[in-house]
Amino acid sequence: MKAAAEAPERAAEAAEGADASQAAEAPNRADERVLVLAPRGRNAEMIAGALRSAGFHIDICDGLDQLCTEMLDPSGAVILCEEALTRTGLDCLIGTLARQAPWSDIPLLLLTGGGKTTRGSFHIAKALGPRGNVTLMERPVRIITLISAVRTALRSRRRQYEVRDLLAREQHARTSAEAASHAKDHFLATLSHELRTPLNPVLMTITAMAQDNELPERYREDVDLVKRNIELESKLIDDLLDLTRIARGKLELHSDAIDMHALLDHALKTCCESHIRRKRLRITTELHAESRFVWGDGARLSQVFWNLIKNAVKFTPEGGQITLRSENDDEGSLVLSVKDTGIGIEPAAAGRIFDAFEQESRGITRRYGGLGLGLAICKALVELHGGNISVHSEGKDKGSTFTVRLTTTGEPRPAPQVKPPSGGNGRIDPLSVLLVEDHDTTARVTSRLLGTLGYKVVVAGDIESAKRLTDEQRFDIVVSDLGLPDGTGIDLLQYVRARHNLPAIAVSGYGMEDDQQQTKAAGFIEHLIKPIDLPKLQAAISRALGATAVADKDR
């Protein structure tokens, strides 16, 4: 600073500095310390003394190496004399600036040569300009000017700290949200498993009873009631998991050309026949669309209309009417609607009817039950298919109309007829199934019901027993639970495929997308989600054996 100007000027400026100290804003915080490097004479001590009297926290550095090291710790600003920056030193400083955190841009006050700007000053400014927050100050510099510059630099640094703290809070919030999301997913998956497992033997038993021709007629309605409510419990679990899949973008579509008229007919027949009969509802179908095929996932589109029809039946009083209609609009899209004469929707509720966990009112929730997930899932599924869903109602007790618009596709060509694979060279002995299940009730019921269909069933309760049985006996197929006392069904599959090349079906209460992908990748031909009924299990066994027979023939 050329001894910070002359002695009389220093005295005057010291007085000004003392006045400035009354207005100093910088608190004595470690992260607002000012680093000073002025290698000639007593410049560093003079600068530090003046700034300390103004209330700033000052640390003097002996050389550029120390300065670069100190800058990596919390610092508010740097005062640096030009003569300290040799070529090597400049490279060191540039490297240190490049190592700052993304939010950081520490202010540098660079004191240039006394009285004039040198070529060296221009070179330094050019080198630091793209990388540093640099202010050039020609000497001699008045102390009051330096104090003002430091105060401005620290004010800028505080704003950087605010950004840092905001980013840290945002990162913490994101991490907490991700942890909560993972915890929620884990909880839902575990809850699903724990709820599904006891439902499985009940559903299999009640399904078998419903198909028993010897069941007394007076019990059939009760059996149907039990079966319907078990399926409803399962559907509520599925809705929770579907909502999680959709929110995480994990829901996959397996698309094909779908005849929506056939899909509507199937959804109507499988949805609520007993409720329709009991409530004496009139069902009308007006399927006028000529272009009725869409490119989509048949199972998911069935889920959409199953939900819409179920809601129409649920909210329509006895003797009411439900109309299913299809038509093509002017743009060629397929327009499908489900109209009822039920309780209707208040205008204020129509805007949020497709939100998750939303129902029109608590009174409706208490009276009709449900979680308010069905329509949210319908909306997400329809939009995944590139369509849209809307609702119209004139108000309370004036019915509702839910309308789905989907893009049509051409009618597919008929698939060639393929003869199903034979049962194995004319063999007449029963198919042998190894059932691996550690839930005693499920194992007992499943074994008994498969036995009534003519299968020979052997039960193992853990992996080691299953391995031993496959080594001692011949089986046609393995049906295995995934969660077993001494490992997983995947561990068992690796063994039986390596030694016996047996087809296998996974059965589990875990039904998330990741669970299904993992079992398919491991080599299971099917992944059945509990609770399953006997026809579903029998169909899966037939598909698995058929796929294996075709694969063996191709080899």
Side-chain angles (χ1 to χ4, degrees):
M1 229 175 169
K2 204 172 184 178
E6 306 300 330
E9 187 177 356
R10 289 203 305 269
E13 291 183 334
E16 291 177 317
D19 293 337
S21 69
Q22 305 299 318
E25 298 176 7
N28 191 17
R29 290 172 41 180
D31 61 358
E32 291 193 0
R33 64 187 181 136
V34 179
L35 304 176
V36 176
L37 177 57
R40 292 181 182 174
R42 297 183 59 250
N43 283 353
E45 289 80 2
M46 294 171 58
I47 293 170
L51 293 178
R52 282 174 181 147
S53 68
F56 296 106
H57 179 170
I58 307 298
D59 282 347
I60 298 175
C61 298
D62 294 332
L64 200 59
D65 288 343
Q66 183 187 356
L67 175 67
C68 290
T69 300
E70 292 289 339
M71 285 174 64
L72 297 176
D73 291 329
S75 306
V78 174
I79 297 176
L80 178 64
C81 288
E82 178 186 62
E83 56 267 24
L85 287 176
T86 62
R87 182 175 296 276
T88 302
L90 182 59
D91 291 340
C92 175
L93 181 59
I94 290 172
T96 302
L97 293 174
R99 293 168 62 186
Q100 294 182 96
W103 57 266
S104 177
D105 192 15
I106 187 168
L108 271 69
L109 303 179
L110 182 62
L111 305 184
T112 65
K116 61 179 180 178
T117 302
T118 66
R119 289 184 61 188
S121 301
F122 281 118
H123 173 71
I124 292 169
K126 182 178 180 181
L128 291 176
R131 300 171 179 84
N133 178 7
V134 182
T135 300
L136 299 180
M137 304 183 69
E138 285 192 359
R139 289 177 284 184
V141 179
R142 293 168 62 85
I143 289 296
I144 189 64
T145 303
L146 185 60
I147 289 173
S148 177
V150 170
R151 185 179 297 124
T152 300
L154 290 180
R155 191 177 298 119
S156 168
R157 191 61 167 166
R158 287 185 207 116
R159 287 194 289 269
Q160 294 177 33
Y161 289 146
E162 289 172 2
V163 171
R164 175 199 62 187
D165 296 342
L166 182 63
L167 289 173
R169 289 194 297 271
E170 192 274 338
Q171 179 61 41
H172 177 72
R174 183 189 299 119
T175 302
S176 299
E178 289 174 352
S181 178
H182 290 148
K184 179 197 71 176
D185 291 348
H186 177 71
F187 169 76
L188 286 176
T190 303
L191 178 65
S192 163
H193 178 270
E194 295 303 315
L195 291 175
R196 291 177 189 277
T197 297
L199 287 178
N200 197 56
V202 181
L203 181 59
M204 295 191 76
T205 300
I206 207 69
T207 302
M209 290 177 64
Q211 295 174 342
D212 187 353
N213 293 328
E214 297 182 3
L215 180 71
E217 195 62 34
R218 66 180 183 275
Y219 294 132
R220 288 199 176 275
E221 187 172 343
D222 294 337
V223 167
D224 181 64
L225 174 68
V226 174
K227 181 175 181 292
R228 187 169 63 249
N229 280 278
I230 293 170
E231 290 172 340
L232 177 60
E233 288 290 329
S234 179
K235 182 66 174 59
L236 292 174
I237 297 169
D238 288 341
D239 282 351
L240 284 171
L241 296 181
D242 278 346
L243 195 67
T244 300
R245 291 188 187 103
I246 291 167
R248 292 174 57 191
K250 294 286 188 177
L251 192 68
E252 293 185 357
L253 299 181
H254 304 283
S255 298
D256 203 348
I258 305 298
D259 183 343
M260 294 303 296
H261 286 180
L263 185 144
L264 279 175
D265 182 64
H266 181 265
L268 181 61
K269 289 179 178 177
T270 59
C271 180
C272 325
E273 278 193 337
S274 60
H275 273 80
I276 292 171
R277 289 195 305 269
R278 181 172 55 80
K279 297 178 77 171
R280 300 187 302 279
L281 301 177
R282 300 186 305 278
I283 307 296
T284 303
T285 56
E286 300 175 1
L287 307 181
H288 303 307
E290 295 183 2
S291 298
R292 66 181 190 275
F293 283 86
V294 304
W295 187 256
D297 187 319
R300 293 302 182 181
L301 289 173
S302 292
Q303 185 178 354
V304 170
F305 287 96
W306 193 93
N307 266 300
L308 295 181
I309 294 171
K310 176 177 70 70
N311 279 353
V313 172
K314 181 179 181 180
F315 295 117
T316 300
E318 289 190 19
Q321 181 167 334
I322 296 172
T323 303
L324 307 183
R325 180 179 290 115
S326 78
E327 58 186 352
N328 296 118
D329 64 14
D330 294 338
E331 298 176 356
S333 298
L334 180 60
V335 182
L336 303 157
S337 62
V338 179
K339 181 179 181 180
D340 64 61
T341 58
I343 63 174
I345 302 170
E346 295 285 0
R352 65 176 190 273
I353 200 77
F354 293 105
D355 294 340
F357 301 104
E358 280 286 352
Q359 289 189 337
E360 185 174 345
S361 67
R362 291 184 180 181
I364 288 178
T365 302
R366 287 193 298 269
R367 180 178 176 185
Y368 294 98
L371 298 176
L373 296 179
L375 290 177
I377 292 170
C378 286
K379 182 176 186 291
L381 291 176
V382 170
E383 290 178 351
L384 280 174
H385 284 83
N388 63 74
I389 183 171
S390 59
V391 62
H392 174 75
S393 175
E394 296 293 337
K396 185 177 179 181
D397 297 326
K398 295 184 178 180
S400 305
T401 302
F402 286 85
T403 303
V404 174
R405 283 178 170 81
L406 297 166
T407 302
T408 57
T409 190
E411 184 172 351
R413 295 180 180 179
Q417 296 295 318
V418 179
K419 290 183 64 177
S422 64
N425 297 324
R427 53 180 277 186
I428 59 174
D429 52 313
L431 291 169
S432 181
V433 178
L434 174 61
L435 176 63
V436 188
E437 172 62 70
D438 65 321
H439 190 266
D440 291 339
T441 304
T442 298
R444 184 174 65 254
V445 170
T446 306
S447 175
R448 176 174 61 82
L449 294 176
L450 285 175
T452 63
L453 297 176
Y455 294 95
K456 178 185 176 183
V457 183
V458 178
V459 177
D462 54 46
I463 292 175
E464 289 305 315
S465 301
K467 289 179 178 179
R468 186 174 62 254
L469 285 167
T470 59
D471 291 338
E472 296 172 353
Q473 303 180 39
R474 186 190 67 78
F475 293 97
D476 295 295
I477 193 168
V478 175
V479 177
S480 178
D481 191 13
L482 289 180
L484 297 166
D486 52 349
T488 70
I490 292 175
D491 299 329
L492 174 62
L493 178 67
Q494 293 170 346
Y495 182 87
V496 299
R497 282 175 66 84
R499 297 174 69 96
H500 307 290
N501 196 31
L502 287 173
I505 294 172
V507 180
S508 176
Y510 292 104
M512 300 295 281
E513 261 338 279
D514 292 345
D515 301 319
Q516 298 181 56
Q517 290 174 0
Q518 185 180 11
T519 54
K520 291 292 180 67
F524 282 99
I525 297 177
E526 298 266 347
H527 180 117
L528 299 181
I529 303 171
K530 297 177 181 178
I532 55 173
D533 56 24
L534 191 56
K536 186 181 293 184
L537 178 57
Q538 186 181 15
I541 292 173
S542 297
R543 287 194 300 270
L545 291 172
T548 303
V550 170
D552 290 342
K553 183 179 180 181
D554 291 341
R555 284 198 294 270

